[in-house]
Amino acid sequence: MTGTTMTRPRRGGKNPTVGKGRGVPRLLTRVAVFAVIAAVPPLLFDDYWVFMSAQVLAFAVATLGLDILYGRTGQMSLAHASFMGVGAYTTYVMATNGYGPAMQLAAVIGVALIAALVVSVPTLRLSGMRLALVTLAFGELLAWAIRNTTDLTGGTQGASVDPFLFGRLDSSEPLHAYLIALVPAAIATAFAVHLGRTQLGRRMLAVRDSELAAESVGVAVARTKVTAFLISAVYAGVAGWLYAGITGFIAPPDFDLFASVYLFVAVVIGGAGTVLGAWLGASYVVLMPEVFTLAGQPNLYPIVGGALLAIVALVVPDGIVGLGRNVWRRIRGVRGDEEESK
């Protein structure tokens, strides 16, 4: 055996380039589906629902970020809406000083990264509920700072934010707001999908499943957790930037503890660890309150949200996406059995 090299035979003798060839049509199919769905609101909805769809895009960026932190890395945060607030109020401060949307976005990303480092680095050894309590403290501290800096942030009265202007696009117009929000939402989705195929994405999953096991196989657990926190904070900051420019008004209740809990519930209900689940969660957060308001029962939304979370946790722990996958597998299994019987 000396001087020889043993190689593991490829399963089934398949050409490794075949999988790559199949990936291109699959990617094109996903892009086409995304484009078709994205074209529905401006073509079929009136201005009000186009405006609501633009908010869904903004919140989708937020839920995608929280899914990276919680769904993929297993780190619980009760301050995700607070990082949205960091982005929104940074946008407001920059806008009042005459800076345009591009400079606002750059500042938002920078401030979000700094805030995430302040929270994540001292809590490297924390996880689960202990980490959630630390993030809760950060959120409460941010809310206190906003309420007590009226000259800078508008305080408890809130603040009006100038709309985004990108050439002829004006975010005060529902259709323009939708088109503006669509670009970062698409980029955030593409990055989230790609992240799952990278070494970093696999390290995140290892940390989520077991930090001890991940560390035993050489995963830098602390670095992975901090990286996930930084990415999540940037996502939340960009979502806050979009929210401020689309709605034109921000106030402390938009980014308080309840808002963070709603985002967490949305990710769990949609299906933690999946991109589609994050999108379903964003739709839930934005549209469900409107449905109850139109039905004349706005106070039922928190009750129904809590009930749904309990049902999902007990009956469908993988969320709506997991439920859909299980149903599809059963349908395919039934079809397979019928074909074999024939």
Side-chain angles (χ1 to χ4, degrees), residues 1 12 39-40 55 68 71 87 99 144 157 161 165 191 214 227 229 249 255 274 293 300 309 312 320:
M1 299 297 290
V40 169
Q55 289 194 53
I68 290 172
Y99 292 98
W144 176 86
Q157 300 301 315
V161 182
L165 296 176
F191 180 82
T227 302
F229 215 104
F249 185 82
F255 315 106
T274 64
T293 300
L300 284 180
L309 179 62
V312 168
I320 297 174

Side-chain angles (χ1 to χ4, degrees), residues 84-98:
M84 281 187 67
V86 169
Y89 278 97
T90 300
T91 300
Y92 167 70
V93 172
M94 293 290 289
T96 55
N97 285 278

Side-chain angles (χ1 to χ4, degrees), residues 316 318 321-331:
V316 194
D318 293 330
V321 172
L323 176 62
R325 286 175 176 172
N326 291 335
V327 171
W328 177 245
R329 286 170 185 167
R330 290 185 179 182
I331 293 174

Side-chain angles (χ1 to χ4, degrees), residues 256-288:
D256 61 7
L257 172 61
F258 290 103
S260 293
V261 171
Y262 290 147
L263 288 173
F264 179 77
V265 170
V267 170
V268 173
I269 290 176
T274 64
V275 171
L276 179 58
W279 273 93
L280 293 175
S283 302
Y284 168 83
V285 165
V286 175
L287 300 180
M288 284 300 289

Side-chain angles (χ1 to χ4, degrees), residues 42-85:
L43 293 178
L44 301 181
F45 297 167
D46 59 22
D47 283 349
Y48 176 76
W49 289 108
V50 171
F51 171 72
M52 297 305 299
S53 299
Q55 289 194 53
V56 170
L57 294 176
F59 275 90
V61 178
T63 52
L64 284 167
L66 183 56
D67 184 69
I68 290 172
L69 181 63
Y70 173 72
R72 303 192 189 189
T73 318
Q75 306 304 302
M76 185 179 295
S77 172
L78 293 178
H80 201 64
S82 300
F83 282 101
M84 281 187 67

Side-chain angles (χ1 to χ4, degrees), residues 63-189:
T63 52
L64 284 167
L66 183 56
D67 184 69
I68 290 172
L69 181 63
Y70 173 72
R72 303 192 189 189
T73 318
Q75 306 304 302
M76 185 179 295
S77 172
L78 293 178
H80 201 64
S82 300
F83 282 101
M84 281 187 67
V86 169
Y89 278 97
T90 300
T91 300
Y92 167 70
V93 172
M94 293 290 289
T96 55
N97 285 278
Y99 292 98
M103 291 299 297
Q104 295 169 18
L105 179 59
V108 163
I109 293 174
V111 175
L113 287 173
I114 294 172
L117 285 171
V118 170
V119 176
S120 62
V121 172
T123 60
L124 288 176
R125 297 185 180 275
L126 300 181
S127 60
M129 191 55 64
R130 289 181 295 176
L131 176 61
L133 291 175
V134 173
T135 59
L136 173 62
F138 168 77
E140 292 301 310
L141 180 62
L142 178 67
W144 176 86
I146 293 173
R147 289 194 300 267
N148 291 276
T149 53
T150 305
D151 294 339
L152 181 64
T153 64
T156 57
Q157 300 301 315
S160 297
V161 182
D162 295 334
F164 296 150
L165 296 176
F166 289 98
R168 296 183 179 180
L169 296 179
D170 183 344
S171 65
S172 62
E173 297 289 333
L175 178 58
H176 294 181
Y178 179 83
L179 295 176
I180 291 172
L182 183 60
V183 175
I187 294 173
T189 302

